[in-house]
Amino acid sequence: MDQEQILARITAMVEDERRLRDALASGQIDSETEHERLGELERQLDQCWDLLRQRRAKSEFGENPDEARVRPSSQVEDYQG
């Protein structure tokens, strides 16, 4: 994925988060379902942000950004950049 694709994926996931919160508020889903789905989205978002940071760092230091790889969610979860 290039930078634009990653940013588009992040935007889509943020919209999914918003839809889940709206679905809970309107009673379409229960809190357990929302919690599970939000957890998965948050893990995927952490991975996307990490991949984006890797790509930017590689570009900044003259390396090939295409060599950046998605890391396991356990490695990037709750990353505070």
Side-chain angles (χ1 to χ4, degrees):
M1 271 195 283
D2 67 20
Q3 181 168 314
E4 294 305 315
Q5 291 170 318
I6 296 168
L7 288 170
R9 179 75 178 121
I10 288 170
T11 299
M13 285 188 282
V14 169
E15 290 171 7
D16 287 345
E17 280 184 325
R18 191 172 303 121
R19 280 192 289 274
L20 281 171
R21 293 182 196 285
D22 289 345
L24 176 65
S26 67
Q28 295 173 343
I29 61 173
D30 61 26
S31 61
E32 183 177 331
T33 300
E34 183 225 23
H35 181 73
E36 289 173 10
R37 291 182 185 171
L38 282 177
E40 181 58 33
L41 277 173
E42 288 169 1
R43 286 185 288 279
Q44 290 175 11
L45 274 168
D46 287 344
Q47 288 176 302
C48 283
W49 281 116
D50 177 68
L51 182 59
L52 187 60
R53 286 184 192 100
Q54 286 182 62
R55 289 184 60 84
R56 288 176 175 171
K58 286 186 177 294
S59 290
E60 181 179 339
F61 291 100
E63 298 177 27
N64 182 355
D66 292 335
E67 293 176 355
R69 297 290 176 247
V70 175
R71 295 192 273 202
S73 63
S74 60
Q75 186 174 357
V76 301
E77 197 167 4
D78 301 320
Y79 177 76
Q80 300 290 316

